[in-house]
């Protein structure tokens, strides 16, 4: 069971805070086994799975089903449970049931889960703040998008750019501002999923400066693709939030380098080929696989001199380990702890092919793209799950929940006038003033 690491880089395995493994519910798109195999082959040793499965991960029964399905995983995993109006009163029960953290679909997306009301967001943040549990938010304003989409459809627009027109950057800016306001008031930790717009970066920068514990991810598609690619690829590249105009790419890179955006996630969102290739843009499912292509795509940029490999390690492993409190040996929060390792060949060139993906939903906008820098061997908790690029199938099921190594102190003291105080200590501020 030995491999030679001669000429290779030894990196911590990537921690992907945003994957949709579709299990239970959509086995024609992905399963835990195939999704986690894709992760392992992509150099990813820990994933966080999203709750828009069927049933959605918002009840103890659904959570148990997901944990059961995840028993076939090759890689370690966290489970983001659903945070909405129907679950907000049971968040602690869901944590006790094995959820790691939460996801709020503030913007409408695949699965059509209703957005939580602002009241429920405030309440849930109040519940989670003292526990230090981070809530990931799909931050797009559903009301803006629903009206836009209605008008565009009435006008007969079915072209690729109609998807972007229906989900303008202002929908993302507005939702991020709202989430930051509620997080600051309650002292809750929040995480902005798939940050795509240049115009909302100032909100993150200023909130971080004020001490709000807001983290953010962006994805390779927002760094490397834009509406020019949308014209070529059409529905295949339809994704929420949409890839935006070319002017957004560079500021996102700069935000990563400055630490305004903390990490790279993939939003791995596979769909079946027939669901991605319909003529009418509104009928194409949103999203595409990513967990297997993130590392080669990003390492290609590192090879091109855009950033140092240490920057990449910060984005792919260190920042997510910190954000979700993944403890290593003797309690130290550290990427690559427990020997979660990937060995990469920075000199190896490949032509990405969607047909070689482990993922079931193979249709990928990265098909035929030239990359340089590839993961070769992946080790999860000291054991190879991929060797010489080959998946070791007998290691299916080696993956475990990361819950036991996750310990987060409360984030920060809430605003002094926080709403819970008004409920539990009426007149406190007035007594203090007397
Ligand atoms: C995701 C999916 O298919 O589950 N799709 C997407 O376009 N990103 C949902 C999501 O993350 O919004
Ligand atoms: Zn989303
Ligand atoms: Zn997603």
């Amino acid at each position: 069971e030995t491999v030679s690491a001669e000429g290779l880089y030894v990196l911590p395995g990537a921690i992907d805070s945003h994957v949709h493994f579709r299990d239970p519910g959509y086995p024609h798109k992905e399963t835990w086994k195939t999704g986690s195999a894709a992760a392992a082959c992509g150099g990813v040793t820990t994933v966080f799975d999203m709750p828009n499965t069927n049933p959605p991960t918002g009840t103890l029964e659904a959570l148990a089903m997901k944990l059961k399905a995840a028993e076939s995983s090759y890689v370690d995993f966290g489970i983001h449970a659903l945070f909405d109006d129907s679950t907000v009163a049971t968040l602690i029960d869901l944590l006790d049931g094995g959820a790691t953290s939460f996801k709020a679909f503030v913007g409408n997306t695949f699965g059509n889960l209703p957005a939580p009301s602002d009241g429920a967001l405030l309440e849930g943040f109040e519940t989670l703040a003292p526990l230090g549990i981070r809530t990931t938010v799909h931050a797009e304003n559903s009301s803006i998008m629903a009206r836009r989409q209605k008008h565009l459809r009435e006008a007969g627009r079915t072209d690729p750019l109609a998807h972007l027109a229906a989900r303008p950057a202002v929908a993302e800016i507005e939702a991020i501002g709202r989430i930051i306001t509620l997080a600051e008031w309650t002292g809750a930790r929040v995480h902005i999923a798939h940050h795509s717009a240049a115009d909302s970066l100032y909100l993150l920068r200023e909130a971080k400066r004020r001490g709000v514990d807001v983290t953010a991810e962006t994805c390779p598609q927002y760094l490397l693709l834009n509406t020019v690619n949308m014209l070529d690829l059409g529905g295949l590249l339809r994704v929420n939030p949409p890839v935006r105009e070319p002017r957004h790419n560079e500021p996102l890179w700069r935000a990563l380098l400055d630490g305004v955006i903390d990490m790279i996630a993939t939003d791995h969102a596979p769909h079946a080929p027939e669901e991605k290739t319909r003529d009418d843009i509104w009928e194409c499912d949103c999203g595409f696989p990513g967990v297997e292509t993130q590392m080669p795509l990003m390492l290609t940029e590192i090879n091109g001199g855009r950033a140092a490999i240490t920057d990449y390690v910060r984005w792919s492993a260190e920042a997510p380990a910190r954000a979700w409190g993944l403890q290593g040996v003797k309690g130290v929060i550290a990427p690559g702890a427990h020997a979660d390792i990937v060995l990469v060949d920075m000199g190896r060139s490949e032509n990405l092919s969607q047909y070689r993906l482990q993922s079931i939903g193979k249709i990928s906008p990265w098909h035929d793209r030239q990359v340089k820098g590839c993961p070769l061997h992946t080790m999860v908790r000291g054991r190879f799950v991929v060797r010489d690029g080959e998946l070791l199938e007998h290691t299916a099921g080696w993956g475990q929940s990361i819950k036991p190594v996750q310990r987060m102190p409360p984030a920060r003291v809430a605003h002094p006038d926080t709403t819970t105080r008004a409920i539990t200590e009426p007149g406190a501020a007035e007594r203090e003033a007397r």
Side-chain angles (χ1 to χ4, degrees):
E1 273 236 8
T2 59
V3 302
S4 168
E6 204 179 330
L8 305 180
Y9 282 71
V10 182
L11 308 184
I15 300 170
D16 190 339
S17 57
H18 190 155
V19 305
H20 301 266
F21 282 173
R22 310 291 193 207
D23 192 359
Y26 307 99
H28 67 292
K29 296 178 193 278
E30 197 74 291
T31 64
W32 263 98
K33 195 163 176 185
T34 56
S36 67
C41 291
V44 175
T45 51
T46 303
V47 295
F48 287 78
D49 186 59
M50 288 295 172
N52 59 337
T53 39
N54 192 10
T57 319
T59 62
L60 288 172
E61 297 71 41
L63 180 58
M65 282 172 76
K66 179 156 286 185
L67 288 165
K68 182 85 197 142
E71 281 176 9
S72 58
S73 184
Y74 287 90
V75 300
D76 285 353
F77 54 85
I79 305 290
H80 293 313
L82 182 65
F83 177 143
D84 70 5
D85 284 52
S86 76
T87 69
V88 70
T90 56
L91 300 180
I92 308 263
D93 300 335
L94 289 165
L95 289 173
D96 291 342
T100 335
S101 40
F102 295 94
K103 170 70 179 287
F105 287 97
V106 168
N108 183 65
T109 190
F110 178 75
N112 282 320
L113 296 167
S117 63
D118 295 338
L121 282 170
L122 176 62
E123 264 173 49
F125 287 178
E126 285 171 344
T127 305
L128 296 176
L131 304 175
I133 299 287
R134 191 176 298 276
T135 301
T136 298
V137 183
H138 175 127
E140 286 186 288
N141 180 308
S142 279
S143 146
I144 291 176
M145 298 189 299
R147 288 188 74 90
R148 284 287 153 106
Q149 180 161 338
K150 183 168 163 287
H151 296 323
L152 287 155
R153 292 192 87 151
E154 282 164 3
R157 287 278 302 271
T158 58
D159 57 288
L161 294 183
H163 177 63
L164 172 63
R167 306 182 80 108
V170 69
E172 185 170 15
I173 302 164
E174 188 284 332
I176 291 175
R178 184 160 29 116
I179 293 305
I180 287 174
T181 302
L182 295 172
E184 185 160 21
W185 180 263
T186 55
R189 288 197 164 94
V190 291
H191 176 73
I192 305 300
H194 42 43
H195 190 117
S196 69
D199 316 71
S200 35
L201 292 169
Y202 83 97
L203 291 169
L204 292 176
R205 187 179 298 114
E206 291 177 5
K208 282 173 184 245
R209 205 175 280 152
R210 295 196 302 274
V212 183
D213 192 339
V214 53
T215 53
E217 70 192 29
T218 190
C219 314
Q221 53 267 32
Y222 304 114
L223 294 164
L224 299 172
L225 303 177
N226 55 49
T227 43
V228 176
N229 306 93
M230 192 77 194
L231 292 179
D232 295 336
L233 296 172
L236 204 152
L237 186 49
R238 189 181 186 212
V239 61
N240 299 330
V243 295
R244 301 196 183 279
E245 296 85 349
R247 73 171 177 90
H248 293 270
N249 296 139
E250 264 320 299
L252 291 172
W253 278 108
R254 248 179 290 128
L256 270 173
L257 285 162
D258 294 347
V260 171
I261 291 181
D262 301 82
M263 65 189 82
I264 298 288
T266 64
D267 190 10
H268 178 84
H271 297 284
E274 61 276 15
E275 297 165 331
K276 287 300 294 173
T277 50
R278 296 175 179 133
D279 290 338
D280 182 343
I281 189 77
W282 307 115
E283 300 302 323
C284 292
D285 279 351
C286 296
F288 42 80
V291 76
E292 216 165 339
T293 46
Q294 178 270 113
M295 195 169 285
L297 288 167
M298 293 299 293
L299 292 180
T300 305
E301 297 302 307
I302 303 301
N303 260 321
R306 195 178 293 259
I309 198 154
T310 46
D311 292 316
Y312 175 69
V313 167
R314 178 159 52 87
W315 305 331
S316 65
E318 186 184 330
R322 236 180 246 290
W324 279 275
L326 267 57
Q327 288 187 342
V329 181
K330 301 202 160 89
V332 176
I333 292 181
H338 310 286
D340 286 346
I341 287 168
V342 57
L343 288 87
V344 306
D345 184 346
M346 288 300 283
R348 183 184 169 118
S349 293
E350 255 181 39
N351 200 23
L352 292 178
S353 165
Q354 62 189 15
Y355 306 111
R356 283 200 306 268
L357 296 180
Q358 296 285 339
S359 192
I360 294 175
K362 292 201 186 325
I363 298 291
S364 164
W366 308 111
H367 180 63
D368 216 20
R369 195 174 171 107
Q370 194 65 27
V371 291
K372 185 176 178 189
C374 298
L376 265 195
H377 316 286
T378 308
M379 187 177 254
V380 174
R381 271 177 292 103
R383 185 167 169 188
F384 284 112
V385 292
V386 171
R387 203 168 46 211
D388 293 315
E390 293 293 324
L391 181 70
L392 301 178
E393 291 186 18
H394 64 276
T395 61
W398 177 243
Q400 278 180 5
S401 166
I402 54 94
K403 188 129 197 294
V405 295
Q406 191 210 26
R407 301 267 186 287
M408 294 288 273
R412 66 196 288 273
V413 180
H415 190 281
D417 293 339
T418 187
T419 339
T420 40
R421 191 173 182 211
I423 295 169
T424 57
E425 304 172 63
E430 290 70 20
R431 281 195 297 279
E432 278 160 26
R434 274 216 192 103

